[in-house]
Amino acid sequence: MEIITAVKGFKDILPGEAGKWQYVEDQARKIFSAFGCLEIRVPILEKTDLFARGIGEATDIVEKEMYTFRDRGDDLITLRPEATASIIRAYLEHHLYAADPVAKLYTIGPMFRRERPQKGRYRQFHQLDVEILGYEDARIDAEVILMLIHFLKSVGLKSPQLELNSLGCPSCRPSFRESILQFLQGKEGDLCEDCQRRISTNPLRVFDCKMEGCKQIIAQAPVIQDFLCGGCRDHFAGVLASLAVFDIPYTINPRMVRGLDYYTRTTFEITTDFLGAQNAIVGGGRYDGLIRDLGGPDIPGIGFAIGFERLLAMMPADQCDDFIKPPGLFIAALGTEAQKFAYQLCNRFRMQGIPTEMDYTAKGLKSQMKRADRLKCRKVLIIGDREIETQQADLRDMQTKEQIKVRLDNSDELIKLMM
RNA sequence: GUGGGUGUAGCUCAGUUGGUUAGAGUGCCGGGUUGUGGCCCCGGAGGUCGAGGGUUCAAAUCCCUUCACUCACCCCA
């Protein structure tokens, strides 16, 4: 019979790699909470409407990537393609803003987008997501970036490259959009098919195009910085000034736009050279209109999402060796009586918090030693029927090969010895 | 959705102009060492050659179809 395999683009995280995941999550929790962020856990399933309104109807994510279906009650629901919309939904639904308009939140979990899988891109992938709601101050933008880069470095990332831009706000972006449309007028024929389509759907996205022809045209195009209103210009200057306080290097990329419609003002990306085409490991920015657009009060927000798989792929191999605990003790038991004794002792050790392993397949000592070695146990307690009689067993140190006699008749003493 | 690449042992891969019983390394199990791991030596198990069809005396090899994986485009974390 044929075995059933996982769904395309959905990956197993095997025991060998789960330690890395735990390590990164652990670091994130420590650092994010030091910066005052609290964890929030939101459902992975939401009403489709939430994403359509939040991310934007005309975005690729909403148009062709979401897992959307009707459930048995005929409700139209979607597996979340990102976390921000859900977090804001929860913030509004539970009136968190009433007690305190400022909320600093993070969440960790799976997201779903039905794209063609490739390196660094899966249909179920994971994000570390931070959202700071209630502050408009430019210092917060820089603080969020500081926290992010501090975290990335703490997990061993060598040189995260920060790219920044400002997308303006509803009062200045339209004039920029107009001038782009004017600029592109008459040049449609020289653009790629996708960009020709973008002119009517989302002209700003032409900036993102990687086709040589489009890039050349765009190089001549007006840049948003020249169109920012006074408020947006001051805000962006404030972000840069605050980044300077922490000596955070950045490059301003006036062509960087985002694939989600809700971004305003500051946007940023962290990129790397080591991931092939999927070089963005973090994307984020400010979304001052989103909470209002989702039916809430006019509260500003900023956040980012880290691609977990992409981050792991870039981490040094030995980064979390210390975090993954070595197994500790192996009990090699030979003979029926010894097995009985070891069975009890092994589980007693475990209940004391001493990670202990033994073998139940009645093999010889040699193969048990082999297994202890493979599990990287530091010590092996060797018990045969002979040792049961004398109540004295050998405790072997696997590194130094030193072997000492230990008494078996006092389990409290034994436990102390192991700890 | 569109292109390219790859499918042979658990894993990484050889396999000649089609030719007889499909190999190596590694891992696993056992032995050398009657109760002591890693190194070394020896042995063993493990394969519908991705699947289906075709050509041929003969197909892992050639042709067609299909599936899976993978990289890239698109888009994004």
Side-chain angles (χ1 to χ4, degrees), chain A residues 40 55 106 117 123 145 159 162 180 208 217 259 267 289 302 316 328 375 382 395:
Chain A
I40 181 170
I55 299 168
Y106 75 89
R123 291 182 173 182
I145 292 168
S159 50
L162 172 64
I180 287 292
D208 243 4
I217 292 169
T267 56
I302 181 171
L375 292 172
I382 299 161
L395 182 64

Side-chain angles (χ1 to χ4, degrees), chain A residues 304-335:
Chain A
F304 62 78
I306 304 172
F308 212 113
E309 285 86 350
R310 292 182 186 181
L311 177 59
L312 289 183
M314 292 200 49
M315 273 170 49
D318 60 345
Q319 178 64 28
C320 44
D321 285 359
D322 297 342
F323 180 82
I324 298 164
K325 294 176 204 99
L329 179 67
F330 191 92
I331 304 178
L334 299 152

Side-chain angles (χ1 to χ4, degrees), chain A residues 35 139 142-143 145-146 153 240-249:
Chain A
F35 279 79
R139 285 176 298 175
E143 189 173 291
I145 292 168
L146 171 70
K153 287 186 171 168
L240 301 186
S242 296
L243 287 174
V245 171
F246 303 107
D247 293 317
I248 298 171

Side-chain angles (χ1 to χ4, degrees), chain A residues 235-260:
Chain A
H235 188 271
F236 196 54
V239 175
L240 301 186
S242 296
L243 287 174
V245 171
F246 303 107
D247 293 317
I248 298 171
Y250 57 83
T251 51
I252 294 174
N253 179 356
R255 291 177 298 104
M256 183 179 70
V257 291
R258 316 249 67 230
L260 293 82

Side-chain angles (χ1 to χ4, degrees), chain A residues 83-221:
Chain A
T84 306
S86 297
I87 288 176
I88 289 175
R89 196 221 78 238
Y91 175 76
L92 294 176
E93 187 168 340
H94 304 288
H95 305 102
L96 298 186
Y97 55 87
D100 182 353
V102 173
K104 304 208 252 182
L105 306 167
Y106 75 89
T107 199
I108 303 175
M111 310 294 157
F112 306 85
R113 293 181 200 174
R114 198 184 182 288
E115 304 174 85
R116 204 57 176 264
Q118 68 187 73
K119 191 180 178 72
R121 192 177 72 189
Y122 311 105
R123 291 182 173 182
Q124 175 178 331
F125 61 102
H126 295 74
Q127 287 186 338
L128 284 168
D129 203 88
V130 172
E131 311 292 344
I132 311 288
L133 310 177
Y135 279 130
E136 200 180 2
D137 197 299
R139 285 176 298 175
I140 281 293
D141 301 38
E143 189 173 291
V144 162
I145 292 168
L146 171 70
M147 176 177 86
L148 169 61
I149 289 176
H150 177 63
F151 163 69
L152 294 175
K153 287 186 171 168
S154 85
V155 297
L157 219 61
K158 286 289 172 287
S159 50
Q161 294 159 41
L162 172 64
E163 290 187 27
L164 272 182
N165 193 20
S166 174
L167 294 184
C169 66
S171 75
C172 54
R173 206 185 311 176
S175 63
F176 174 62
R177 197 188 135 101
E178 266 316 302
S179 98
I180 287 292
L181 285 173
Q182 255 176 33
F183 171 80
L184 292 175
Q185 218 158 42
K187 300 188 179 69
E188 292 95 335
D190 302 324
L191 294 171
C192 69
E193 274 179 42
D194 287 319
C195 285
Q196 292 185 26
R197 183 176 45 80
R198 286 181 186 124
I199 288 177
S200 52
T201 56
N202 194 346
L204 296 194
R205 291 221 64 87
V206 177
F207 277 73
D208 243 4
C209 191
K210 278 142 192 137
M211 306 290 285
E212 263 318 306
C214 300
K215 273 165 118 175
Q216 277 176 23
I217 292 169
I218 279 302
Q220 312 297 319

